[in-house]
């Protein structure tokens, strides 16, 4: 195998890991479709990843999920992060108060990545979102809140990168986000919201909204609250919990300033 071919295989393997991380437990057909590879090619890569111990097939159905080996890498990523250290007591206190899971989410490339979450500390969740879980930048509440509030320089760089290498769907959503005035609206209201999120481990069953975490003028990431879509409307959730989420984000930002 040539060096270029080896690099392509590594890239495809990372794409497959990303799909499994985003979808939770996709089937082999869903994996092949998501990464736009022939079924036999995707199957060979999946088998290689199983042999390396980073994914596994669920015992009772033909679906694939990440193993603890991938999660262990994510925990290492988390443990040295100052934002997580400062935010942890605040998000634990907020979940104890409102009961819904709270996540600290930051941007990595063209994705938003969960850095910490209280999903394991409450029964009010369908799934546990461990550090390393990725959500799309343009489609997620956390990504839209970050994109609207970050500096023009970072936003322009992200836009250029997505327009250069993103999918047609991502590019259309980005252009709509910029041209419709939605970014301005999010900045005015101070949060972004998405009803019945399609990219979660249980598509359509949860909704979320997110606020930015500032350290002075810099947006470090977002604080996101996820709730059962059947429990209340998005407007009701924002009315009830937005003040709490904003206050917690401000407290985290203050702690980060004090740490600097």
């Amino acid at each position: 195998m040539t060096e270029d071919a080896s690099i392509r295989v590594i890239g495809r393997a990372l794409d497959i890991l990303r799909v499994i991380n985003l979808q939770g437990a996709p089937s082999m057909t869903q994996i092949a479709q998501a990464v736009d590879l022939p079924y036999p090619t995707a199957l060979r890569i999946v088998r290689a990843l199983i042999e390396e111990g980073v994914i596994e097939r669920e015992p009772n159905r033909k679906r694939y999920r990440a193993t603890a080996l991938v999660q262990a890498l994510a925990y290492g990523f988390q443990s040295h992060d100052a934002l997580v250290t400062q935010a942890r007591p605040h998000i634990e206190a907020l979940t104890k108060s409102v009961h819904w899971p709270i996540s600290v989410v930051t941007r990595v490339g063209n994705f938003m990545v969960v850095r910490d979450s209280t999903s394991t500390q409450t029964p009010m969740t369908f799934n546990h979102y461990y550090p390393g879980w990725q959500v799309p930048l343009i489609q997620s509440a956390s990504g839209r809140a970050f994109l609207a509030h970050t500096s023009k320089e970072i936003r322009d760089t992200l836009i250029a990168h997505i327009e250069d290498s993103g999918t047609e769907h991502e590019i259309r959503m980005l252009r709509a986000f910029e041209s419709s005035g939605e970014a301005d609206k999010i900045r005015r209201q101070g949060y972004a919201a998405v009803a019945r999120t399609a990219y979660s481990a249980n598509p359509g069953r949860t909704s979320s909204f997110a606020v930015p975490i500032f350290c002075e003028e810099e947006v470090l990431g977002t604080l996101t609250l996820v709730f059962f879509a059947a429990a209340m409307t998005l407007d009701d959730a924002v009315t009830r919990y937005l003040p709490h989420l904003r206050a917690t984000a401000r407290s985290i930002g203050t702690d980060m300033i004090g740490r600097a």
Side-chain angles (χ1 to χ4, degrees), residues 139-215:
Q139 298 159 270
S140 65
S142 56
R144 295 167 89 80
F146 178 88
L147 195 59
H149 286 92
T150 195
S151 68
K152 184 178 186 303
E153 180 182 3
I154 292 176
R155 187 163 56 251
D156 288 346
T157 299
L158 281 170
I159 290 170
H161 187 66
I162 292 172
E163 289 185 333
D164 181 59
S165 61
T167 66
E168 290 185 9
H169 180 61
E170 289 173 330
I171 293 170
R172 283 198 304 269
M173 289 194 69
L174 176 63
R175 288 174 178 166
F177 183 76
E178 286 293 300
S179 64
S180 67
E182 186 171 356
D184 291 333
K185 177 183 176 183
I186 290 171
R187 281 191 291 272
R188 287 195 304 271
Q189 65 190 17
Y191 71 91
V194 173
R196 297 190 175 274
T197 51
Y199 51 81
S200 70
N202 297 89
R205 298 184 67 187
T206 59
S207 299
S208 62
F209 65 95
V211 300
I213 302 172
F214 284 97
C215 181

Side-chain angles (χ1 to χ4, degrees), residues 1-259:
M1 182 181 293
T2 66
E3 182 178 352
D4 287 346
S6 298
I7 292 172
R8 285 196 298 273
V9 170
I10 293 171
R12 289 167 175 173
L14 290 173
D15 286 342
I16 286 174
L17 280 174
R18 188 176 296 115
V19 167
I20 292 172
N21 199 29
L22 285 170
Q23 298 189 14
S27 67
M28 193 62 243
T29 299
Q30 289 172 324
I31 292 171
Q33 290 174 345
V35 297
D36 195 24
L37 285 175
Y39 186 97
T41 302
L43 180 59
R44 285 196 299 271
I45 296 173
V46 164
R47 286 174 174 170
L49 292 172
I50 290 173
E51 290 179 6
E52 294 297 325
V54 293
I55 65 173
E56 63 187 1
R57 178 175 159 176
E58 292 189 351
N60 297 321
R61 56 181 188 160
K62 296 180 180 180
R63 291 179 175 270
Y64 299 85
R65 63 192 180 195
T67 68
L69 181 58
V70 172
Q71 293 174 2
L73 294 174
Y75 282 119
F77 175 65
Q78 170 199 7
S79 62
H80 297 94
D81 187 270
L83 176 60
V84 170
T85 301
Q86 299 298 324
R88 186 67 192 179
H90 294 288
I91 64 175
E92 286 181 343
L94 183 55
T95 290
K96 186 175 181 180
S97 173
V98 303
H99 307 299
W100 298 108
I102 308 297
S103 295
V104 177
V105 190
T106 62
R107 180 185 68 87
V108 178
N110 286 356
F111 289 89
M112 299 298 291
V113 177
V114 173
R115 304 299 296 273
D116 200 6
S117 172
T118 58
S119 61
T120 60
Q121 299 180 1
T122 174
M124 306 288 280
T125 183
F126 292 120
N127 297 91
H128 296 156
Y129 293 96
Y130 294 100
W133 178 271
Q134 295 179 345
V135 297
L137 181 67
I138 304 301
Q139 298 159 270
S140 65
S142 56
R144 295 167 89 80
F146 178 88
L147 195 59
H149 286 92
T150 195
S151 68
K152 184 178 186 303
E153 180 182 3
I154 292 176
R155 187 163 56 251
D156 288 346
T157 299
L158 281 170
I159 290 170
H161 187 66
I162 292 172
E163 289 185 333
D164 181 59
S165 61
T167 66
E168 290 185 9
H169 180 61
E170 289 173 330
I171 293 170
R172 283 198 304 269
M173 289 194 69
L174 176 63
R175 288 174 178 166
F177 183 76
E178 286 293 300
S179 64
S180 67
E182 186 171 356
D184 291 333
K185 177 183 176 183
I186 290 171
R187 281 191 291 272
R188 287 195 304 271
Q189 65 190 17
Y191 71 91
V194 173
R196 297 190 175 274
T197 51
Y199 51 81
S200 70
N202 297 89
R205 298 184 67 187
T206 59
S207 299
S208 62
F209 65 95
V211 300
I213 302 172
F214 284 97
C215 181
E216 296 182 334
E217 299 300 317
E218 180 186 3
V219 181
L220 302 178
T222 66
L223 208 58
T224 305
L225 184 149
V226 180
F227 61 95
F228 301 149
M232 69 190 90
T233 67
L234 198 51
D235 287 343
D236 286 342
V238 169
T239 299
R240 291 186 192 183
Y241 304 120
L242 179 60
H244 303 283
L245 203 64
R246 279 177 168 164
T248 300
R250 285 195 298 269
S251 296
I252 295 169
T254 299
D255 284 357
M256 290 297 292
I257 293 172
R259 183 186 179 278

